[in-house]
Amino acid sequence: MQTFDAEYIDRWLRIIGLVLAELRDVAAHWDEQHISNKLAWDYEWPDHLHRFESLHQTYRAGGMNEDQQARFLTLQHDLEENASLVESLGLQRPPVLSKT
């Protein structure tokens, strides 16, 4: 397993949190979104999933400090809460999440 330094972990936690917040905002008007915006989400979402899965592995391996662990768990909970929204937009649910 690849290990990540604290700077990468912090950056990825922040990025995924911002992306999820943006997705919730965009989802409110998804049907009105231009096709290029929807395609951008389709194109970029797998990268965000990969980052989240890498964070999940790092968390499980004990590679995060206490603050990062707390932020990761909050992010994981947020993703679980929004999994049906993600799927309703045709985006893949993060495979490491429990089926909620």
Side-chain angles (χ1 to χ4, degrees):
M1 181 191 98
Q2 182 177 1
T3 58
F4 301 99
D5 66 30
E7 184 180 326
Y8 276 105
I9 294 168
D10 288 335
R11 184 179 310 140
W12 286 4
L13 287 167
R14 187 174 53 254
I15 288 170
I16 296 170
L18 290 171
V19 165
L20 187 55
E22 181 182 354
L23 183 61
R24 284 191 299 263
D25 290 342
V26 169
H29 306 286
W30 188 256
D31 292 336
E32 302 161 15
Q33 294 293 319
H34 191 276
I35 188 69
S36 62
N37 194 22
K38 292 178 181 180
L39 289 174
W41 278 100
D42 282 342
Y43 180 75
E44 294 172 6
W45 187 249
D47 289 336
H48 300 307
L49 285 181
H50 174 73
R51 285 185 184 108
F52 179 75
E53 290 172 0
S54 295
L55 287 172
H56 183 263
Q57 291 174 355
T58 302
Y59 170 80
R60 291 188 55 131
M64 294 181 178
N65 63 38
E66 287 182 28
D67 175 63
Q68 292 168 335
Q69 289 174 12
R71 290 169 42 213
F72 173 78
L73 291 174
T74 299
L75 180 60
Q76 181 176 356
H77 177 69
D78 199 15
L79 277 166
E80 286 174 346
E81 293 256 322
N82 287 281
S84 61
L85 171 69
V86 167
E87 289 176 326
S88 75
L89 300 177
L91 302 173
Q92 181 185 357
R93 164 199 211 88
V96 296
L97 293 181
S98 61
K99 293 290 184 186
T100 56

XYZ file of all heavy atoms in Angstrom:
835
model
N 0.833 -1.173 0.000
C 0.000 0.000 0.000
C 0.883 1.244 0.000
O 1.860 1.323 0.715
C -0.893 0.018 1.239
C -1.796 1.225 1.257
S -2.641 1.456 2.820
C -1.568 2.664 3.541
N 0.508 2.206 -0.815
C 1.229 3.465 -0.879
C 0.857 4.317 0.339
O -0.297 4.360 0.744
C 0.856 4.202 -2.158
C 1.589 5.500 -2.345
C 1.227 6.160 -3.660
O 0.416 5.652 -4.415
N 1.835 7.299 -3.929
N 1.838 4.966 0.922
C 1.556 5.848 2.044
C 1.626 7.293 1.561
O 2.339 7.617 0.615
C 2.563 5.640 3.196
O 3.874 5.871 2.699
C 2.442 4.232 3.760
N 0.878 8.149 2.226
C 0.795 9.547 1.850
C 1.223 10.403 3.028
O 0.942 10.077 4.175
C -0.633 9.906 1.440
C -1.129 9.085 0.276
C -1.946 7.991 0.486
C -0.755 9.403 -1.011
C -2.388 7.224 -0.580
C -1.187 8.641 -2.084
C -2.009 7.551 -1.867
N 1.879 11.519 2.724
C 2.277 12.396 3.817
C 1.087 13.248 4.245
O 0.054 13.299 3.573
C 3.503 13.237 3.451
C 3.259 14.249 2.341
O 2.130 14.744 2.188
O 4.226 14.566 1.630
N 1.243 13.888 5.389
C 0.147 14.639 6.006
C -0.391 15.731 5.084
O -1.595 15.992 5.068
C 0.607 15.237 7.328
N 0.477 16.342 4.296
C 0.040 17.415 3.389
C -0.929 16.880 2.335
O -1.948 17.498 2.043
C 1.258 18.055 2.721
C 0.908 19.230 1.843
C 2.142 19.842 1.201
O 3.216 19.839 1.834
O 2.023 20.312 0.058
N -0.604 15.726 1.737
C -1.503 15.117 0.752
C -2.830 14.733 1.390
O -3.895 14.955 0.816
C -0.873 13.874 0.108
C 0.036 14.187 -1.041
C 1.411 14.115 -0.886
C -0.475 14.536 -2.281
C 2.264 14.399 -1.940
C 0.366 14.818 -3.344
C 1.737 14.755 -3.163
O 2.570 15.033 -4.203
N -2.767 14.146 2.549
C -3.998 13.737 3.236
C -4.876 14.948 3.505
O -6.075 14.929 3.208
C -3.666 12.982 4.542
C -2.971 11.656 4.223
C -4.922 12.750 5.380
C -2.352 10.968 5.423
N -4.292 16.008 4.044
C -5.063 17.229 4.314
C -5.666 17.801 3.042
O -6.837 18.187 3.010
C -4.187 18.286 4.986
C -3.852 17.957 6.429
O -4.627 17.217 7.073
O -2.813 18.445 6.918
N -4.864 17.846 1.988
C -5.344 18.392 0.712
C -6.495 17.554 0.165
O -7.515 18.086 -0.258
C -4.195 18.438 -0.299
C -4.606 19.082 -1.619
C -3.477 19.155 -2.630
N -2.282 19.723 -2.024
C -1.048 19.279 -2.274
N -0.845 18.274 -3.096
N 0.001 19.837 -1.709
N -6.350 16.241 0.177
C -7.394 15.381 -0.378
C -8.662 15.430 0.457
O -9.765 15.399 -0.092
C -6.880 13.964 -0.532
C -5.917 13.796 -1.671
C -5.430 14.774 -2.492
C -5.329 12.586 -2.108
N -4.565 14.232 -3.408
C -4.478 12.901 -3.204
C -5.420 11.281 -1.681
C -3.749 11.937 -3.878
C -4.678 10.317 -2.357
C -3.859 10.638 -3.445
N -8.531 15.492 1.764
C -9.720 15.632 2.609
C -10.466 16.917 2.264
O -11.692 16.934 2.151
C -9.341 15.620 4.096
C -8.928 14.271 4.675
C -8.276 14.459 6.039
C -10.126 13.334 4.766
N -9.717 17.991 2.106
C -10.317 19.285 1.774
C -10.968 19.244 0.390
O -12.107 19.681 0.211
C -9.262 20.377 1.855
C -9.787 21.775 1.687
C -8.732 22.860 1.922
N -7.516 22.680 1.129
C -6.335 22.255 1.600
N -6.189 21.980 2.873
N -5.292 22.125 0.810
N -10.264 18.710 -0.595
C -10.779 18.673 -1.965
C -12.065 17.860 -2.042
O -13.061 18.306 -2.624
C -9.722 18.093 -2.936
C -8.596 19.098 -3.144
C -10.350 17.706 -4.276
C -7.391 18.531 -3.887
N -12.064 16.681 -1.472
C -13.254 15.829 -1.559
C -14.432 16.474 -0.826
O -15.567 16.421 -1.297
C -12.966 14.412 -1.044
C -11.932 13.739 -1.949
C -14.248 13.573 -1.004
C -11.384 12.441 -1.414
N -14.178 17.094 0.305
C -15.243 17.800 1.014
C -15.830 18.920 0.172
O -17.060 19.089 0.102
N -14.983 19.693 -0.490
C -15.455 20.789 -1.348
C -16.221 20.263 -2.561
O -17.246 20.819 -2.949
C -14.271 21.648 -1.804
C -13.600 22.488 -0.729
C -12.306 23.114 -1.261
C -14.542 23.555 -0.205
N -15.716 19.178 -3.142
C -16.377 18.583 -4.312
C -17.769 18.085 -3.934
O -18.735 18.297 -4.675
C -15.511 17.447 -4.902
C -16.308 16.578 -5.865
C -14.296 18.022 -5.581
N -17.876 17.449 -2.791
C -19.187 16.938 -2.376
C -20.155 18.085 -2.107
O -21.328 18.011 -2.487
C -19.045 16.041 -1.150
C -20.303 15.312 -0.719
C -20.894 14.483 -1.863
C -20.014 14.418 0.468
N -19.680 19.149 -1.496
C -20.536 20.323 -1.267
C -20.986 20.926 -2.595
O -22.157 21.284 -2.766
C -19.793 21.359 -0.436
N -20.065 21.015 -3.546
C -20.412 21.543 -4.869
C -21.413 20.636 -5.573
O -22.354 21.109 -6.208
C -19.159 21.703 -5.726
C -19.443 22.272 -7.100
C -18.209 22.389 -7.970
O -17.091 22.132 -7.494
O -18.379 22.735 -9.156
N -21.220 19.325 -5.451
C -22.134 18.387 -6.089
C -23.550 18.550 -5.545
O -24.517 18.515 -6.298
C -21.650 16.950 -5.899
C -22.492 15.874 -6.591
C -22.511 16.076 -8.099
C -21.952 14.493 -6.252
N -23.671 18.733 -4.239
C -25.017 18.950 -3.667
C -25.650 20.208 -4.243
O -26.839 20.223 -4.537
C -24.940 19.031 -2.147
C -24.760 17.690 -1.481
C -24.957 17.785 0.022
N -23.991 18.683 0.640
C -22.859 18.292 1.221
N -22.543 17.013 1.247
N -22.046 19.167 1.763
N -24.859 21.264 -4.423
C -25.387 22.500 -5.005
C -25.798 22.299 -6.459
O -26.873 22.739 -6.875
C -24.351 23.624 -4.928
C -24.107 24.112 -3.508
O -24.958 23.846 -2.620
O -23.056 24.752 -3.286
N -24.955 21.637 -7.225
C -25.226 21.391 -8.641
C -26.426 20.458 -8.806
O -27.234 20.630 -9.723
C -23.966 20.811 -9.332
C -24.266 20.291 -10.723
C -22.865 21.856 -9.378
N -26.554 19.496 -7.925
C -27.634 18.501 -8.029
C -29.009 19.133 -7.947
O -29.956 18.640 -8.568
C -27.478 17.449 -6.937
N -29.114 20.227 -7.222
C -30.406 20.895 -7.087
C -30.941 21.366 -8.438
O -32.156 21.497 -8.614
C -30.281 22.075 -6.123
N -30.032 21.580 -9.383
C -30.430 22.045 -10.720
C -29.826 21.157 -11.805
O -29.507 21.623 -12.887
C -29.977 23.501 -10.914
C -30.450 24.420 -9.847
N -31.759 24.841 -9.761
C -29.807 24.958 -8.784
C -31.897 25.616 -8.710
N -30.727 25.701 -8.090
N -29.677 19.878 -11.495
C -29.006 18.947 -12.404
C -29.673 18.894 -13.771
O -29.005 18.901 -14.802
C -28.954 17.560 -11.780
C -28.119 16.583 -12.550
C -28.562 15.579 -13.358
C -26.688 16.521 -12.586
N -27.498 14.888 -13.885
C -26.328 15.447 -13.424
C -25.674 17.267 -11.995
C -25.010 15.104 -13.688
C -24.355 16.912 -12.244
C -24.044 15.849 -13.089
N -31.003 18.837 -13.798
C -31.710 18.724 -15.071
C -31.497 19.956 -15.947
O -31.631 19.874 -17.173
C -33.204 18.500 -14.850
C -33.487 17.141 -14.239
O -32.654 16.228 -14.393
O -34.539 16.999 -13.586
N -31.179 21.085 -15.328
C -30.965 22.328 -16.068
C -29.496 22.530 -16.456
O -29.173 23.473 -17.169
C -31.427 23.516 -15.217
C -32.887 23.417 -14.818
C -33.221 24.311 -13.627
O -32.418 25.209 -13.298
O -34.279 24.086 -13.028
N -28.615 21.656 -15.981
C -27.187 21.797 -16.258
C -26.898 21.527 -17.731
O -27.503 20.651 -18.352
C -26.369 20.815 -15.407
C -26.406 21.083 -13.940
C -25.713 22.377 -13.564
O -24.659 22.705 -14.086
N -26.327 23.101 -12.654
N -25.961 22.267 -18.273
C -25.511 22.044 -19.641
C -24.813 20.683 -19.701
O -24.176 20.256 -18.735
C -24.553 23.162 -20.059
C -24.263 23.163 -21.513
N -23.290 22.378 -22.077
C -24.833 23.841 -22.530
C -23.255 22.569 -23.384
N -24.184 23.465 -23.684
N -24.919 20.028 -20.824
C -24.343 18.691 -20.986
C -22.837 18.696 -20.704
O -22.298 17.732 -20.149
C -24.646 18.106 -22.395
C -24.213 16.637 -22.486
C -23.978 18.924 -23.476
C -25.030 15.708 -21.665
N -22.150 19.780 -21.028
C -20.705 19.823 -20.786
C -20.396 19.791 -19.290
O -19.399 19.199 -18.874
C -20.079 21.055 -21.432
O -20.614 22.240 -20.877
N -21.256 20.393 -18.485
C -21.061 20.356 -17.030
C -21.280 18.936 -16.500
O -20.518 18.452 -15.664
C -21.994 21.343 -16.341
C -21.606 21.601 -14.907
O -20.465 21.402 -14.506
N -22.563 22.054 -14.122
N -22.293 18.275 -17.008
C -22.550 16.890 -16.593
C -21.399 15.973 -17.018
O -20.983 15.097 -16.248
C -23.865 16.394 -17.184
C -25.087 17.086 -16.617
C -26.342 16.577 -17.281
C -27.566 17.261 -16.747
N -28.809 16.791 -17.387
N -20.891 16.187 -18.222
C -19.772 15.372 -18.700
C -18.518 15.623 -17.875
O -17.738 14.697 -17.637
C -19.510 15.643 -20.183
C -20.563 15.102 -21.142
C -20.273 15.572 -22.573
C -20.636 13.591 -21.082
N -18.328 16.853 -17.440
C -17.175 17.163 -16.592
C -17.264 16.377 -15.284
O -16.255 15.842 -14.810
C -17.104 18.661 -16.314
N -18.454 16.304 -14.705
C -18.630 15.507 -13.484
C -18.343 14.039 -13.760
O -17.687 13.364 -12.967
C -20.035 15.688 -12.905
C -20.140 16.931 -12.097
C -20.671 18.123 -12.476
C -19.681 17.114 -10.754
N -20.559 19.029 -11.462
C -19.968 18.434 -10.391
C -19.053 16.284 -9.833
C -19.640 18.948 -9.134
C -18.734 16.795 -8.584
C -19.030 18.117 -8.255
N -18.847 13.522 -14.879
C -18.579 12.123 -15.248
C -17.085 11.865 -15.407
O -16.592 10.796 -15.029
C -19.273 11.767 -16.573
C -20.751 11.494 -16.425
O -21.201 11.231 -15.296
O -21.457 11.551 -17.447
N -16.381 12.824 -15.945
C -14.955 12.682 -16.199
C -14.130 12.788 -14.912
O -13.181 12.040 -14.708
C -14.519 13.748 -17.212
C -13.062 13.705 -17.552
C -12.556 12.719 -18.396
C -12.177 14.644 -17.033
C -11.202 12.668 -18.713
C -10.831 14.610 -17.346
C -10.349 13.624 -18.177
O -9.025 13.572 -18.476
N -14.489 13.734 -14.038
C -13.691 14.012 -12.846
C -14.048 13.132 -11.642
O -13.207 12.912 -10.767
C -13.844 15.485 -12.452
C -13.263 16.422 -13.482
C -13.581 17.881 -13.210
O -14.169 18.193 -12.153
O -13.245 18.710 -14.064
N -15.268 12.647 -11.582
C -15.717 11.883 -10.412
C -14.831 10.665 -10.113
O -14.503 10.422 -8.954
C -17.179 11.491 -10.568
C -17.763 10.863 -9.348
C -18.150 9.561 -9.209
C -18.012 11.488 -8.085
N -18.630 9.339 -7.944
C -18.560 10.516 -7.227
C -17.827 12.778 -7.588
C -18.918 10.786 -5.916
C -18.195 13.050 -6.280
C -18.729 12.054 -5.464
N -14.410 9.868 -11.111
C -13.542 8.726 -10.799
C -12.245 9.124 -10.086
O -11.751 8.376 -9.231
C -13.261 8.098 -12.171
C -14.450 8.467 -12.991
C -14.812 9.862 -12.537
N -11.696 10.294 -10.413
C -10.487 10.758 -9.720
C -10.779 11.021 -8.245
O -9.977 10.696 -7.368
C -9.937 12.032 -10.361
C -9.324 11.772 -11.725
O -8.914 10.629 -11.999
O -9.256 12.729 -12.525
N -11.925 11.609 -7.972
C -12.308 11.878 -6.581
C -12.562 10.566 -5.828
O -12.197 10.444 -4.657
C -13.535 12.786 -6.519
C -13.316 14.118 -7.175
N -12.260 14.949 -6.867
C -14.003 14.750 -8.151
C -12.319 16.044 -7.604
N -13.367 15.940 -8.396
N -13.156 9.595 -6.509
C -13.359 8.279 -5.892
C -12.021 7.637 -5.542
O -11.861 7.066 -4.462
C -14.126 7.344 -6.831
C -15.605 7.575 -7.003
C -16.187 6.531 -7.954
C -16.334 7.547 -5.685
N -11.079 7.739 -6.458
C -9.752 7.172 -6.215
C -9.106 7.835 -4.999
O -8.523 7.149 -4.148
C -8.872 7.331 -7.454
C -7.464 6.894 -7.227
N -7.104 5.566 -7.112
C -6.325 7.602 -7.061
C -5.810 5.482 -6.883
N -5.309 6.712 -6.845
N -9.212 9.149 -4.898
C -8.651 9.852 -3.743
C -9.314 9.373 -2.454
O -8.642 9.125 -1.457
C -8.838 11.360 -3.892
C -7.920 11.993 -4.882
C -8.084 13.511 -4.891
N -7.264 14.082 -5.925
C -7.734 14.593 -7.057
N -9.035 14.622 -7.291
N -6.917 15.095 -7.952
N -10.646 9.261 -2.484
C -11.354 8.817 -1.285
C -10.934 7.397 -0.902
O -10.708 7.108 0.267
C -12.870 8.895 -1.469
C -13.608 8.420 -0.263
C -13.687 9.215 0.868
C -14.198 7.165 -0.238
C -14.339 8.766 2.013
C -14.853 6.716 0.894
C -14.931 7.521 2.022
N -10.829 6.514 -1.882
C -10.428 5.138 -1.594
C -9.000 5.085 -1.045
O -8.720 4.296 -0.147
C -10.576 4.278 -2.846
C -12.034 4.053 -3.210
C -12.239 3.369 -4.547
O -11.243 3.043 -5.232
O -13.405 3.174 -4.913
N -8.123 5.935 -1.563
C -6.757 6.006 -1.033
C -6.773 6.506 0.407
O -6.034 5.997 1.257
C -5.904 6.934 -1.900
O -5.749 6.385 -3.191
N -7.608 7.495 0.687
C -7.746 7.979 2.058
C -8.290 6.879 2.966
O -7.847 6.729 4.102
C -8.663 9.199 2.109
C -8.095 10.497 1.558
C -9.189 11.564 1.496
C -6.918 10.978 2.389
N -9.242 6.119 2.467
C -9.828 5.022 3.236
C -8.749 4.001 3.603
O -8.671 3.556 4.760
C -10.951 4.372 2.419
C -11.668 3.286 3.141
N -11.347 1.959 2.973
C -12.684 3.328 4.040
C -12.136 1.218 3.731
N -12.952 2.029 4.389
N -7.913 3.649 2.642
C -6.823 2.701 2.912
C -5.832 3.273 3.912
O -5.356 2.565 4.801
C -6.107 2.341 1.612
C -6.945 1.509 0.674
C -6.262 1.298 -0.670
O -5.193 1.842 -0.940
N -6.891 0.506 -1.522
N -5.533 4.552 3.768
C -4.598 5.211 4.681
C -5.172 5.249 6.089
O -4.466 4.986 7.071
C -4.282 6.636 4.185
O -3.737 6.551 2.861
C -3.298 7.339 5.100
N -6.469 5.525 6.196
C -7.142 5.536 7.498
C -7.068 4.153 8.145
O -6.683 4.015 9.300
C -8.599 5.979 7.331
C -9.429 5.792 8.570
C -9.356 6.715 9.612
C -10.271 4.692 8.703
C -10.112 6.544 10.768
C -11.025 4.519 9.843
C -10.950 5.440 10.877
O -11.690 5.262 12.010
N -7.414 3.127 7.370
C -7.427 1.762 7.906
C -6.033 1.280 8.296
O -5.888 0.454 9.195
C -8.061 0.808 6.900
C -9.560 1.080 6.755
C -10.202 0.038 5.931
N -9.902 -1.262 6.509
C -10.781 -2.204 6.757
N -12.031 -2.005 6.483
N -10.413 -3.349 7.256
N -5.011 1.819 7.620
C -3.633 1.423 7.922
C -3.043 2.234 9.074
O -1.893 2.002 9.456
C -2.774 1.593 6.680
N -3.825 3.169 9.625
C -3.330 3.976 10.728
C -2.392 5.089 10.299
O -1.594 5.568 11.106
N -2.505 5.524 9.069
C -1.606 6.536 8.534
C -2.065 7.967 8.676
O -1.529 8.847 8.017
N -3.073 8.196 9.522
C -3.581 9.553 9.729
C -3.432 9.939 11.193
O -3.545 9.092 12.069
C -5.068 9.641 9.364
C -5.394 9.431 7.923
S -7.183 9.589 7.646
C -7.259 9.357 5.890
N -3.219 11.242 11.406
C -3.210 11.724 12.785
C -4.659 11.843 13.276
O -5.599 11.623 12.504
C -2.437 13.046 12.912
C -3.063 14.183 12.123
O -4.287 14.326 12.033
N -2.215 15.026 11.534
N -4.860 12.164 14.535
C -6.212 12.183 15.112
C -7.138 13.171 14.411
O -8.305 12.857 14.164
C -6.150 12.497 16.605
C -5.631 11.349 17.438
C -5.632 11.667 18.923
O -6.460 12.491 19.375
O -4.810 11.078 19.639
N -6.629 14.351 14.083
C -7.446 15.350 13.388
C -7.878 14.834 12.026
O -9.042 14.958 11.638
C -6.670 16.665 13.242
C -7.434 17.696 12.422
O -8.534 18.108 12.860
O -6.937 18.067 11.335
N -6.943 14.249 11.291
C -7.257 13.707 9.975
C -8.251 12.556 10.076
O -9.151 12.429 9.241
C -5.979 13.249 9.273
C -5.072 14.386 8.892
C -3.696 13.922 8.464
O -3.232 12.840 8.851
N -3.023 14.728 7.659
N -8.096 11.718 11.082
C -9.041 10.617 11.275
C -10.449 11.159 11.489
O -11.403 10.656 10.893
C -8.631 9.771 12.474
C -7.395 8.948 12.263
C -6.940 8.240 13.522
O -7.656 8.178 14.519
N -5.723 7.707 13.497
N -10.577 12.169 12.327
C -11.894 12.753 12.598
C -12.479 13.370 11.332
O -13.670 13.183 11.026
C -11.791 13.798 13.700
N -11.650 14.077 10.585
C -12.128 14.690 9.336
C -12.502 13.627 8.312
O -13.483 13.760 7.587
C -11.069 15.643 8.789
C -10.944 16.885 9.662
C -9.765 17.768 9.354
N -9.505 17.956 7.949
C -8.274 18.108 7.441
N -7.220 18.091 8.223
N -8.106 18.293 6.152
N -11.719 12.548 8.257
C -12.036 11.463 7.328
C -13.377 10.830 7.680
O -14.206 10.591 6.807
C -10.941 10.396 7.319
C -11.341 9.196 6.502
C -11.271 9.235 5.128
C -11.837 8.054 7.115
C -11.679 8.138 4.361
C -12.243 6.959 6.369
C -12.164 7.010 4.980
N -13.586 10.549 8.965
C -14.851 9.924 9.379
C -16.044 10.830 9.091
O -17.115 10.347 8.694
C -14.798 9.541 10.856
C -13.834 8.383 11.174
C -13.738 8.187 12.682
C -14.259 7.106 10.472
N -15.871 12.134 9.261
C -16.933 13.083 8.923
C -17.207 13.047 7.426
O -18.371 13.023 6.998
C -16.548 14.510 9.362
O -16.379 14.518 10.781
C -17.592 15.526 8.958
N -16.148 13.027 6.630
C -16.296 12.957 5.179
C -16.956 11.652 4.754
O -17.854 11.642 3.908
C -14.931 13.099 4.511
C -14.909 13.046 2.989
C -15.741 14.164 2.393
C -13.474 13.120 2.486
N -16.548 10.554 5.364
C -17.144 9.257 5.035
C -18.636 9.268 5.360
O -19.449 8.804 4.556
C -16.445 8.143 5.792
C -17.008 6.769 5.480
C -16.240 5.659 6.174
O -15.236 5.886 6.845
N -16.705 4.442 6.006
N -18.987 9.813 6.509
C -20.399 9.901 6.894
C -21.169 10.771 5.889
O -22.275 10.417 5.478
C -20.525 10.466 8.307
C -21.925 10.654 8.752
N -22.774 9.592 9.007
C -22.645 11.769 8.973
C -23.956 10.052 9.361
N -23.903 11.369 9.351
N -20.573 11.878 5.485
C -21.202 12.775 4.521
C -21.412 12.064 3.186
O -22.472 12.179 2.566
C -20.340 14.019 4.350
C -21.083 15.203 3.760
O -22.327 15.192 3.737
O -20.406 16.150 3.322
N -20.424 11.313 2.752
C -20.566 10.556 1.507
C -21.648 9.484 1.630
O -22.422 9.268 0.692
C -19.236 9.914 1.112
C -18.269 10.821 0.359
C -16.882 10.206 0.324
C -18.764 11.088 -1.049
N -21.697 8.803 2.769
C -22.737 7.791 2.973
C -24.121 8.427 2.942
O -25.047 7.890 2.348
C -22.506 7.051 4.281
C -21.351 6.076 4.221
C -21.024 5.434 5.557
O -21.500 5.915 6.605
O -20.256 4.462 5.552
N -24.240 9.590 3.576
C -25.529 10.295 3.608
C -25.962 10.741 2.206
O -27.152 10.871 1.951
C -25.438 11.517 4.515
C -25.258 11.176 5.967
C -26.521 11.350 6.757
O -27.257 12.307 6.499
O -26.759 10.508 7.632
N -25.000 10.987 1.338
C -25.295 11.496 -0.001
C -25.116 10.452 -1.100
O -25.146 10.791 -2.275
C -24.412 12.721 -0.289
C -24.862 13.919 0.498
O -25.821 14.589 0.140
N -24.191 14.182 1.613
N -24.942 9.194 -0.718
C -24.711 8.136 -1.708
C -25.874 8.008 -2.687
O -25.659 7.846 -3.893
C -24.451 6.802 -1.017
N -27.092 8.112 -2.206
C -28.233 7.989 -3.126
C -28.294 9.179 -4.084
O -28.665 9.015 -5.250
C -29.547 7.836 -2.356
O -29.788 8.968 -1.549
N -27.910 10.356 -3.621
C -27.848 11.523 -4.499
C -26.808 11.296 -5.588
O -27.066 11.536 -6.769
C -27.503 12.786 -3.701
C -27.212 14.027 -4.536
C -28.473 14.517 -5.227
C -26.590 15.101 -3.681
N -25.637 10.826 -5.198
C -24.558 10.555 -6.149
C -25.046 9.578 -7.208
O -24.897 9.811 -8.416
C -23.316 9.995 -5.411
C -22.308 9.416 -6.382
C -22.685 11.084 -4.534
N -25.662 8.499 -6.783
C -26.158 7.487 -7.727
C -27.279 8.033 -8.602
O -27.368 7.692 -9.785
C -26.625 6.250 -6.974
C -25.471 5.467 -6.370
C -25.924 4.284 -5.543
O -26.988 4.362 -4.896
O -25.193 3.283 -5.536
N -28.143 8.888 -8.055
C -29.251 9.437 -8.843
C -28.757 10.329 -9.976
O -29.472 10.539 -10.954
C -30.219 10.214 -7.943
O -29.680 11.467 -7.570
N -27.534 10.849 -9.842
C -26.949 11.682 -10.897
C -26.168 10.854 -11.907
O -25.568 11.384 -12.829
C -26.037 12.752 -10.276
C -26.723 13.704 -9.300
C -25.716 14.651 -8.698
C -27.868 14.449 -9.958
N -26.175 9.538 -11.717
C -25.480 8.646 -12.644
C -23.998 8.512 -12.344
O -23.243 8.013 -13.174
N -23.588 8.950 -11.153
C -22.190 8.842 -10.755
C -22.028 7.614 -9.866
O -22.970 7.183 -9.209
C -21.762 10.106 -10.001
C -21.920 11.412 -10.769
C -21.619 12.599 -9.869
C -21.033 11.426 -12.002
N -20.832 7.066 -9.863
C -20.566 5.850 -9.095
C -20.468 6.141 -7.606
O -19.824 7.088 -7.188
C -19.267 5.198 -9.563
C -18.944 3.922 -8.822
C -17.596 3.356 -9.228
O -16.910 3.881 -10.101
N -17.218 2.282 -8.574
N -21.098 5.295 -6.832
C -20.980 5.349 -5.369
C -19.589 4.857 -5.005
O -19.094 3.891 -5.597
C -22.048 4.417 -4.786
C -21.882 4.026 -3.363
C -22.721 2.755 -3.093
N -23.203 2.697 -1.770
C -24.334 3.222 -1.317
N -25.134 3.852 -2.132
N -24.685 3.107 -0.073
N -18.932 5.494 -4.037
C -17.626 4.988 -3.618
C -17.736 3.533 -3.166
O -18.507 3.221 -2.272
C -17.249 5.910 -2.447
C -17.996 7.169 -2.713
C -19.289 6.726 -3.345
N -17.018 2.622 -3.814
C -17.147 1.196 -3.512
C -16.846 0.824 -2.058
O -17.358 -0.170 -1.566
C -16.141 0.531 -4.441
C -15.924 1.493 -5.529
C -16.105 2.855 -4.915
N -16.045 1.627 -1.374
C -15.671 1.281 0.013
C -16.751 1.644 1.022
O -16.644 1.279 2.180
C -14.340 1.949 0.422
C -13.204 1.416 -0.427
C -14.419 3.456 0.361
N -17.805 2.340 0.573
C -18.876 2.681 1.513
C -19.777 1.492 1.735
O -19.991 0.665 0.866
C -19.729 3.843 0.957
C -19.050 5.195 0.831
C -20.041 6.201 0.287
C -18.493 5.666 2.152
N -20.323 1.449 2.937
C -21.308 0.401 3.223
C -22.545 0.674 2.389
O -22.786 1.805 1.966
C -21.656 0.409 4.703
O -22.217 1.668 5.068
N -23.308 -0.335 2.155
C -24.551 -0.156 1.390
C -25.604 0.427 2.322
O -26.122 -0.245 3.197
C -25.049 -1.495 0.820
C -24.126 -2.060 -0.228
C -24.189 -1.218 -1.472
C -23.341 -1.818 -2.576
N -23.260 -0.985 -3.730
N -25.873 1.719 2.153
C -26.882 2.388 2.991
C -28.113 2.691 2.186
O -28.092 2.695 0.992
C -26.315 3.691 3.574
O -25.859 4.524 2.518
C -25.203 3.436 4.561
